[in-house]
Amino acid sequence: MEWVVSAGRFNCLLYAEGSIQVAMRRFSITTIAVLLTAVVYALPANSNFGVGPQYDTTHVYVRPEDFDSCVASLLATFGGTATKEGVFTVTPTPSQTMSQLVLTPAGTLSVFGFKTPVPYPFGVERTGYLVTDLEAAVRAARADGADLLVTPFNDPIGKDAVIQWPGGVNMQLYWHTTPPSYPPLKTIPENRVYVSADRATAFVESFLTFSQGKNVSDDAHAPGIEIGRASDTYRRIRISSVFGATAVLVTDGHLPYPYGHETTGYEVANLAGTLAKAKAAGVSVLAGPNTADKRDSAIVQFPGGYIAEIHSASAGK
């Protein structure tokens, strides 16, 4: 956002030279200074720090021995490419992890295979959100109700921090020294957030303010089959922002396995065809397919234990 200050013209009738002119000059300087100060304080507390959903990565933690098979199964299921595998320190304290970025048309994933014990609180942050200014984004997130779990630290290619939203939702914010360039996504992945009724409002308000997103829908009687309880209903809130799609699933915590373990939902063109490719790559179907809200969906588990939801449009149902 750019702010422009325009100084108007003052036509003054001067009756004397000297001290009156000096006074007027001082008055003009003071006036401009006041205007500039007012502009600074008029700036919004938040700016939109997001870059785009293709830069919002799901964090996948697997054992080193499952690393290659997990990456291969993700590519076989969704298509796309992967960066070169390497071993890095991506935490502020000593550690080593295999790391590879998987770029698929349905979403981006950061796969980690730690060769050392995983330092706390890493391993439970669900996503990494690329931001344009890490320090400013952290300040905004805290002002919007997030806790700062891990203060900003340097990694091999930039900086990171870990925050926690109301309801216990952990996310990583990251910034690259050299801005990355990833291809646009064909479909936007869905960040699936399970929260209690006690904290749902606080989470939604905080995240909407930070992301400058919009509440797309709020269904107090969404079909319970979406969370494995076909005879019940529950509350589902959908949010859209520059960070992508977010589904807030408000439940009583009485969730049959594997619901609640999936952190991301991936949209594909054809669920049946995608599941066939997934199974051939060693992926297990844990739940579904089910149909609800004009969507066919299933929950799957990739080699190494990563659990995800996959869905496609089911028009007219």
Side-chain angles (χ1 to χ4, degrees):
M1 179 181 294
E2 296 182 355
W3 289 83
V4 179
V5 177
S6 177
R9 294 181 178 179
F10 294 92
N11 293 317
C12 299
L13 180 61
L14 300 181
Y15 293 98
E17 298 290 333
S19 61
I20 294 180
Q21 290 181 334
V22 171
M24 288 304 297
R25 291 193 192 101
R26 289 178 178 173
F27 172 78
S28 298
I29 293 171
T30 303
T31 302
I32 292 173
V34 170
L35 287 172
L36 289 172
T37 302
V39 167
V40 170
Y41 281 100
L43 284 169
N46 275 352
S47 294
N48 198 331
F49 299 103
V51 181
Q54 70 266 41
Y55 301 100
D56 304 331
T57 65
T58 296
H59 284 194
V60 178
Y61 285 75
V62 297
R63 297 177 303 176
E65 55 265 36
D66 296 322
F67 188 92
D68 291 337
S69 59
C70 179
V71 170
S73 66
L74 288 167
L75 291 173
T77 300
F78 298 116
T81 61
T83 60
K84 185 177 179 180
E85 179 184 321
V87 177
F88 308 98
T89 298
V90 297
T91 61
T93 52
S95 68
Q96 277 199 325
T97 181
M98 302 166 66
S99 179
Q100 199 165 11
L101 190 67
V102 181
L103 300 160
T104 83
T108 306
L109 304 94
S110 290
V111 183
F112 302 107
F114 271 80
K115 293 177 172 291
T116 59
V118 182
Y120 177 85
F122 294 88
V124 292
E125 79 286 357
R126 53 193 300 117
T127 50
Y129 280 171
L130 178 65
V131 293
T132 54
D133 185 327
L134 182 67
E135 299 288 349
V138 166
R139 287 195 299 270
R142 295 177 74 185
D144 296 332
D147 291 334
L148 182 58
L149 298 186
V150 180
T151 60
F153 64 94
N154 294 329
D155 70 15
I157 56 175
K159 291 185 176 182
D160 310 87
V162 179
I163 59 175
Q164 183 179 80
W165 297 107
V169 181
N170 290 8
M171 295 181 180
Q172 183 164 323
L173 303 178
Y174 74 97
W175 171 84
H176 280 180
T177 304
T178 301
S181 179
Y182 304 156
L185 300 175
K186 288 186 177 179
T187 57
I188 306 301
E190 179 180 80
N191 192 344
R192 294 172 63 84
V193 178
Y194 285 77
V195 295
S196 69
D198 290 342
R199 301 298 284 161
T201 298
F203 170 78
V204 170
E205 290 179 352
S206 293
F207 188 71
L208 279 175
T209 303
F210 174 76
S211 67
Q212 296 189 8
K214 62 179 180 179
N215 193 327
V216 176
S217 66
D218 188 343
D219 188 348
H221 301 286
I225 196 171
E226 296 177 355
I227 56 171
R229 290 164 50 175
S231 60
D232 298 324
T233 62
Y234 77 107
R235 183 184 179 192
R236 188 217 319 115
I237 305 163
R238 296 197 191 280
I239 294 171
S240 176
S241 74
V242 69
F243 293 107
T246 302
V248 184
L249 313 177
V250 185
T251 79
D252 56 10
H254 298 187
L255 299 168
Y257 181 83
Y259 296 93
H261 288 278
E262 83 285 5
T263 58
T264 304
Y266 300 96
E267 183 180 352
V268 296
N270 181 275
L271 178 63
T274 300
L275 291 181
K277 290 187 291 185
K279 291 176 184 177
V283 178
S284 302
V285 178
L286 302 181
N290 297 311
T291 300
D293 193 36
K294 297 184 178 181
R295 172 187 288 192
D296 295 330
S297 65
I299 295 183
V300 302
Q301 184 174 54
F302 291 85
Y306 173 55
I307 296 176
E309 190 255 18
I310 304 177
H311 60 269
S312 64
S314 180
K317 295 184 180 180

